[in-house]
Amino acid sequence: MSLVCSISNEVPEHPVVSPRSGAIFERRLIEKYIVENECDPINGEPLKAEELIEIKTPPIVRPKPPSATSIPATLKMMQDEWDALMLHAFTQRQQLQTARQELSHALYQHDAACRVIARLNKEVAAAREALATLKPQTGIASIQSSIPQPSIAAEAGGMATQPIEQAGMSAEVIQKLQDKATVLTQERKKKGRTVPEELVSAEKIRGFLTLASHPGLHSASVPGILALDINHSDQSKILTGGNDKNATVFNKDTEQIVAILKGHTKKVTKVIFHPEDDTVITASPDACIRIWNVPTSQTQLLLRCHDGPVSGLSLHPTGDYVLSTSSDKHWAFSDIRTGRLLTKVPDPTDIGLTTAQFHPDGLIFGTGTEDSQVKIWDLKEQSNVANFPGHTGPITAISFSENGYYLATAADDACIKLWDLRKLKNFKTITLDEGYEVKDLCFDQSGTYLAIAGTDIRVYLCKQWQELKVFNDHTALATGVRFGKHAQYVASTSMDRTLKLYGIE
């Protein structure tokens, strides 16, 4: 029986045996292996060169292989080795191709996984938005289920009975307007002497913080809230009009949606809360004005007094009439109790109207035009009694102070102009940053503060016209701003689809 090296599979010249595995090795090979690995190559147990046991054998004379004794035999051996090398190379190529296919498959799986993850992230974001939208609406079902819903015919009947022709300003209507104005003028003079004790001080307004942000009032697919109003009799209720063609009544205290008013065929750009009734009024570029019953979320009356988009809306202090303006170059005065159009007057300069606002007494009102004019009208005479030039660009917002003396106006010229109605002149101009857009103006009920909405929300102290606070929380253009009672809080809306509330924590 010949000895064979376990490493080289050849007969060793100096055979040794490992005490760890009992295998036979060529001494020089196993010593090199031990130097590099310090273990037995068969079973991996620790092994030192000194532990190797030498085997005594007679000298071996290796015979020359018979295959290499001639040139043809040598060539044959080389041909065999070449064939083996080619077979090995072919096997390697096959393995490489298999590895490439597996890698390609893994890359496709990774790409598909990334796409699935991206889609799931998008669905999660959409689900969160939907949840945010549904959360404040949970109270609607229980409210509406207990209220008998009027049939569609009721609304249709209201539309059908509304005459298109003008009913005219009767002596009875004019006397009613005059009586209300007399009462309001006397009340305003009494209020003007003192500031309400409950009114929030300027120092506290400087400390106002963002108390709440509500993104779920309108559709996320058509983002943007365009109009805002607060209920004077119930300060917890806020009304918004959206790009989604709906108006929403929201309770800020319970954080629940009270009603969603659906009916306009275009976006809702103007909204008004009735101060006494559970009624709201909305206007839209669909040329319609709708009077809604909040408990039933149904349209009570549909006013079609304009041929173009309704651009301005203001409720008369009596609560019985509404003023509207339109790009059809007319203003209209309508009875919201009967749905009758009392009068419709064209602008004498044949220019489209952009906004409207009643004076606190209700006998005069202001309108803005597309050619940067602010016009004051006498309601009883239905005539233009004063003009305030000075702006550049279409008028975007106007607001009368409760003191009855000041009028604030804004246009596409990045400034606010204050007008004295007694002297009929501009006495103050607030210049804003270049490119600043103003979308809404609002005095508080005492006439002490003025708020503007546009690129941001700003609150000014009247008379000194000092900037008290700037709110930059909205991520898009602010479209509406209103004060709560006694300026206890400020509400704002924006194209970012949120209603934000500011106040003292």
Side-chain angles (χ1 to χ4, degrees):
M1 178 177 172
S2 62
L3 302 177
V4 178
C5 175
S6 297
I7 294 177
S8 64
N9 289 327
E10 294 180 355
V11 178
E13 294 181 0
H14 302 286
V16 292
V17 64
S18 167
R20 304 299 182 192
S21 62
I24 297 173
F25 303 96
E26 175 68 50
R27 176 179 285 276
R28 59 182 177 81
L29 294 178
I30 188 61
E31 286 180 347
K32 288 182 180 180
Y33 187 88
I34 292 173
V35 170
E36 293 178 1
N37 300 282
E38 298 182 352
C39 65
D40 190 293
I42 302 302
N43 55 21
E45 293 184 6
L47 179 64
K48 295 182 180 180
E50 295 80 10
E51 298 177 14
L52 296 173
I53 302 172
E54 186 175 358
I55 301 176
K56 300 296 184 178
T57 59
I60 297 173
V61 179
R62 292 183 179 182
K64 292 182 180 181
S67 60
T69 55
S70 64
I71 292 177
T74 303
L75 292 175
K76 176 66 171 61
M77 182 180 65
M78 293 177 64
Q79 181 66 48
D80 292 342
E81 290 179 356
W82 173 259
D83 293 343
L85 181 61
M86 290 299 99
L87 289 174
H88 179 71
F90 175 75
T91 303
Q92 292 284 73
R93 286 198 301 270
Q94 282 186 321
Q95 292 175 348
L96 177 61
Q97 182 63 25
T98 302
R100 283 178 174 172
Q101 290 177 347
E102 291 176 352
L103 178 60
S104 177
H105 183 65
L107 289 175
Y108 276 119
Q109 284 184 324
H110 177 267
D111 183 63
C114 290
R115 291 175 182 272
V116 170
I117 291 170
R119 180 173 57 80
L120 290 176
N121 285 335
K122 186 176 179 180
E123 290 178 358
V124 167
R128 284 175 176 169
E129 276 199 357
L131 181 61
T133 303
L134 291 174
K135 178 186 174 184
Q137 298 184 25
T138 53
I140 296 180
S142 60
I143 294 174
Q144 293 187 347
S145 61
S146 62
I147 299 174
Q149 299 293 322
S151 64
I152 298 176
E155 183 180 339
M159 299 179 200
T161 57
Q162 180 221 329
I164 302 301
E165 67 275 4
Q166 301 179 37
M169 297 280 284
S170 66
E172 181 184 354
V173 171
I174 292 176
Q175 186 60 47
K176 186 176 181 180
L177 300 178
Q178 183 62 58
D179 293 344
K180 185 65 175 180
T182 302
V183 173
L184 291 174
T185 301
Q186 293 174 351
E187 290 180 355
R188 191 180 69 246
K189 288 181 178 179
K190 292 179 182 178
K191 292 178 182 178
R193 297 170 188 167
T194 58
V195 176
E197 294 181 1
E198 301 90 345
L199 184 68
V200 172
S201 67
E203 287 302 318
K204 287 186 177 180
I205 287 184
R206 286 192 178 95
F208 271 17
L209 301 172
T210 304
L211 301 180
S213 180
H214 302 286
L217 306 186
H218 291 270
S219 171
S221 59
V222 189
I225 301 178
L226 306 176
L228 168 70
D229 198 20
I230 297 176
N231 193 324
H232 292 286
S233 58
D234 184 354
Q235 291 286 301
S236 65
K237 291 183 179 178
I238 298 175
L239 173 64
T240 60
N243 232 350
D244 59 356
K245 308 175 186 178
N246 298 334
T248 300
V249 180
F250 178 70
N251 190 313
K252 72 177 183 64
D253 294 341
T254 62
E255 297 189 352
Q256 297 290 321
I257 289 180
V258 177
I260 297 179
L261 311 177
K262 301 181 179 181
H264 283 290
T265 57
K266 294 184 179 180
K267 59 188 177 182
V268 178
T269 53
K270 302 293 177 182
V271 295
I272 297 176
F273 246 127
H274 197 282
E276 299 167 0
D277 303 339
D278 206 355
T279 301
V280 301
I281 307 168
T282 62
S284 165
D286 63 6
C288 295
I289 299 169
R290 288 178 178 262
I291 292 90
W292 304 83
N293 179 274
V294 173
T296 62
S297 301
Q298 298 296 315
T299 300
Q300 289 180 323
L301 285 171
L302 180 64
L303 308 181
R304 295 184 182 273
C305 44
H306 290 286
D307 300 324
V310 180
S311 58
L313 200 65
S314 183
L315 183 67
H316 191 270
T318 59
D320 296 331
Y321 309 102
V322 67
L323 169 72
S324 58
T325 56
S326 168
S327 59
D328 67 1
K329 308 170 186 177
H330 289 73
W331 62 263
F333 186 65
S334 306
D335 189 328
I336 65 170
R337 305 297 184 185
T338 63
R340 291 185 303 166
L341 171 62
L342 299 182
T343 186
K344 183 176 179 181
V345 179
D347 184 89
T349 57
D350 200 34
I351 298 296
L353 303 179
T354 59
T355 184
Q357 182 69 45
F358 268 117
H359 184 273
D361 291 345
L363 288 183
I364 64 172
F365 62 90
T367 62
T369 68
E370 294 175 354
D371 66 346
S372 71
Q373 295 287 318
V374 178
K375 299 186 176 184
I376 305 300
W377 299 77
D378 184 306
L379 179 58
K380 294 190 297 182
E381 300 296 331
Q382 304 168 44
S383 60
N384 179 205
V385 295
N387 293 323
F388 293 147
H391 281 292
T392 57
I395 304 299
T396 56
I398 64 175
S399 179
F400 287 95
S401 171
E402 186 62 31
N403 64 19
Y405 302 139
Y406 297 153
L407 171 65
T409 62
D412 290 342
D413 53 8
C415 71
I416 307 295
K417 289 186 178 292
L418 284 304
W419 308 86
D420 190 321
L421 298 176
R422 295 163 295 184
K423 300 178 182 179
L424 298 179
K425 69 175 186 178
N426 172 227
F427 67 90
K428 177 70 176 178
T429 297
I430 302 174
T431 303
L432 304 170
D433 304 332
E434 184 177 356
Y436 192 103
E437 296 185 58
V438 181
K439 292 300 181 182
D440 197 19
L441 292 170
C442 176
F443 285 97
D444 77 299
Q445 289 85 349
S446 69
T448 306
Y449 305 112
L450 171 68
I452 67 173
T455 304
D456 53 29
I457 305 295
R458 301 190 182 191
V459 180
Y460 290 86
L461 178 63
C462 297
K463 295 185 179 180
Q464 291 83 8
W465 307 110
Q466 175 188 3
E467 185 182 283
L468 297 179
K469 187 68 177 179
V470 178
F471 302 102
N472 293 302
D473 291 10
H474 285 296
T475 58
L477 192 67
T479 55
V481 62
R482 291 291 183 272
F483 286 98
K485 189 174 183 181
H486 302 308
Q488 295 288 336
Y489 71 93
V490 175
S492 68
T493 53
S494 167
M495 292 303 294
D496 65 7
R497 203 172 59 91
T498 61
L499 163 70
K500 292 187 183 292
L501 303 174
Y502 313 94
I504 301 293
E505 286 186 323

